Amino acid sequence: MDRDSHCAAERELLEAVSRITTSSTTSPSDEEENQPKAEISCQVRKEDPEKDDTQVSSATLSPNSSMTTKELQEYWKNEKRQCKQIKLLFEIPSTRIVEHHLSKYVMYKIIILQTGSFDSNKSVIERRYSDFEKLHRNLLEEFSEEMEDVTFPKKTLTGNFTEEIINERKLAFKDYLRLLYSMKYIRRSKKFIDFLTRPELQEAYGCLRGGQYTKALEILLEVIRLQERLTRGNPVAIVPTLCAIVVCHKDLENPASAFEYGEKALSLLRVRTSHRYYIPLLETMITLAYELGKDFLSLQEKLEEWKTKKDPIRVFTLKELAVREYIQ
């Protein structure tokens, strides 16, 4: 390629990136409550300053004339990926009947898929009728107006285990979850997110407290993928799970993996240094960095800086914090 063609290519890429950057900062119109809508992952919106801690990704850089053609191409590719519309789809393909002592109930297998992105991973959970019923009751308390036209499958005195009733409920619960997710304030609510993640997190933390780190880690790695999709408006919410993963990897003597997840958690807390996990995580990262031969002095400086600004208080270790989560 001659010099003129090379310059023309750079100018074309710069113009394309500029258009993407401009469109990504344009505020979208309000969502229609009863229609499923996709989230735009590249938009940064602050509807509730105390609940929405979205920060601009460090990977999103402003293009400039010093970038090479290859760097501009990579930037443009990343911007397209981040601006891709995403949404979650809920499928209930199967059920199973559980008989436990004197109780008998149906477990509904829920598959949660993410569309409109390059992520093909799916999350699989199981919930029973009483779990859905509790969710509905809790949402009615907080979102009575939004839930006004939402119907819920009623209990029947007989026939709860017939194929006909089970199939009807499979379809009803699928539509129910789809409708809840279409409503912005409900899908971002703690009650909705807890319904989809809390039972698995409780099991994982129970394993962690019992020293079953391999089993705990297996569950946590499954949950974190779903949490990341559900908490885009408040990414700091996944910090406890990331830290629990750090604890498991560290106790399983996988310092490199522990450091990797610790870096993710620390990046989310860069402007939240008052967060209860910040100092325990920082102390753990210093230990891991030293063990791995990485730069620990910059982390040590952050710790010393925090100590000079804050009054001395008792700080739990990262593991002590983790084992206290989800204690019923």
Side-chain angles (χ1 to χ4, degrees):
M1 182 183 290
D2 58 31
R3 182 177 178 80
D4 291 340
S5 300
H6 181 80
C7 291
E10 285 198 2
R11 284 196 300 272
E12 187 177 332
L13 281 168
L14 277 168
E15 290 172 1
V17 171
S18 179
R19 287 195 297 270
I20 293 172
T21 307
T22 301
S23 64
S24 70
T25 56
T26 303
S27 297
S29 58
D30 290 336
E31 294 174 302
E32 294 178 8
E33 287 296 292
N34 293 324
Q35 293 296 324
K37 294 292 181 180
E39 298 258 12
I40 308 300
S41 63
C42 63
Q43 292 166 349
V44 180
R45 290 181 290 179
K46 296 288 240 181
E47 295 174 11
D48 186 341
E50 294 194 3
K51 292 184 179 180
D52 195 341
D53 296 298
T54 304
Q55 301 294 327
V56 179
S57 172
S58 59
T60 306
L61 304 172
S62 298
N64 58 69
S65 58
S66 66
M67 296 174 74
T68 65
T69 301
K70 184 176 180 181
E71 288 172 338
L72 283 167
Q73 289 172 336
E74 187 63 28
Y75 175 87
W76 182 62
K77 186 189 299 182
N78 287 336
E79 283 296 315
K80 285 182 67 177
R81 183 183 295 116
Q82 290 177 14
C83 292
K84 190 81 171 178
Q85 287 191 333
I86 58 171
K87 64 179 180 179
L88 297 184
L89 298 177
F90 299 87
E91 298 290 341
I92 304 182
S94 61
T95 61
R96 63 187 179 95
I97 297 176
V98 178
E99 295 190 58
H100 184 67
H101 297 303
L102 299 177
S103 64
K104 183 179 180 181
Y105 51 87
V106 179
M107 293 293 289
Y108 296 84
K109 182 179 181 179
I110 306 168
I111 296 179
I112 305 163
L113 301 166
Q114 179 174 301
T115 65
S117 78
F118 294 97
D119 182 8
S120 60
N121 290 328
K122 63 183 180 182
S123 299
V124 181
I125 59 176
E126 283 189 317
R127 298 293 182 267
R128 53 189 290 189
Y129 180 94
S130 59
D131 296 324
F132 281 98
E133 189 177 41
K134 181 180 178 181
L135 169 66
H136 190 71
R137 189 167 58 249
N138 289 339
L139 291 177
L140 282 174
E141 293 176 358
E142 188 174 350
F143 304 102
S144 57
E145 187 174 338
E146 291 87 342
M147 297 286 291
E148 194 172 32
D149 298 322
V150 178
T151 58
F152 186 81
K154 294 182 178 180
K155 282 184 176 179
T156 58
L157 295 176
T158 59
N160 286 305
F161 302 101
T162 64
E163 185 177 354
E164 181 182 3
I165 293 295
I166 290 175
N167 286 333
E168 284 180 4
R169 286 183 175 173
K170 276 169 56 179
L171 294 174
F173 285 143
K174 173 185 171 180
D175 290 340
Y176 178 72
L177 290 174
R178 178 196 61 82
L179 185 55
L180 293 182
Y181 185 76
S182 74
M183 293 185 277
K184 179 173 58 179
Y185 293 107
I186 289 182
R187 72 167 170 264
R188 292 183 177 182
S189 70
K190 186 178 184 301
K191 292 176 179 178
F192 181 69
I193 294 172
D194 277 355
F195 168 78
L196 296 171
T197 61
R198 189 177 180 88
E200 286 72 25
L201 285 171
Q202 286 177 323
E203 181 183 359
Y205 279 94
C207 292
L208 193 157
R209 284 189 289 273
Q212 301 174 33
Y213 301 113
T214 301
K215 179 63 175 176
L217 182 60
E218 178 185 332
I219 300 171
L220 289 168
L221 291 175
E222 288 290 330
V223 176
I224 194 66
R225 290 201 294 267
L226 179 55
Q227 275 189 310
E228 288 172 335
R229 296 165 181 165
L230 292 168
T231 60
R232 294 184 183 277
N234 182 24
V236 174
I238 70 171
V239 165
T241 308
L242 287 172
C243 289
I245 292 173
V246 171
V247 169
C248 289
H249 273 307
K250 190 171 182 295
D251 278 45
L252 289 170
E253 299 183 357
N254 301 324
S257 296
F259 191 83
E260 177 189 348
Y261 281 92
E263 281 190 312
K264 291 181 182 179
L266 207 54
S267 70
L268 295 174
L269 296 179
R270 62 186 178 274
V271 293
R272 293 287 300 276
T273 57
S274 61
H275 194 282
R276 62 197 173 96
Y277 270 90
Y278 180 70
I279 292 305
L281 176 61
L282 201 53
E283 291 175 336
T284 300
M285 291 295 285
I286 291 169
T287 302
L288 290 169
Y290 181 80
E291 183 178 349
L292 293 167
K294 295 180 179 289
D295 172 31
F296 65 90
L297 293 178
S298 59
L299 296 170
Q300 187 71 46
E301 287 175 2
K302 290 180 181 179
L303 180 61
E304 296 302 324
E305 180 184 356
W306 183 90
K307 287 181 177 179
T308 60
K309 292 180 179 179
K310 303 289 183 180
D311 294 329
I313 56 173
R314 172 148 189 255
V315 177
F316 292 108
T317 65
L318 197 66
K319 188 172 183 178
E320 286 173 338
L321 272 183
V323 299
R324 282 168 168 74
E325 295 283 350
Y326 295 96
I327 294 180
Q328 295 180 341

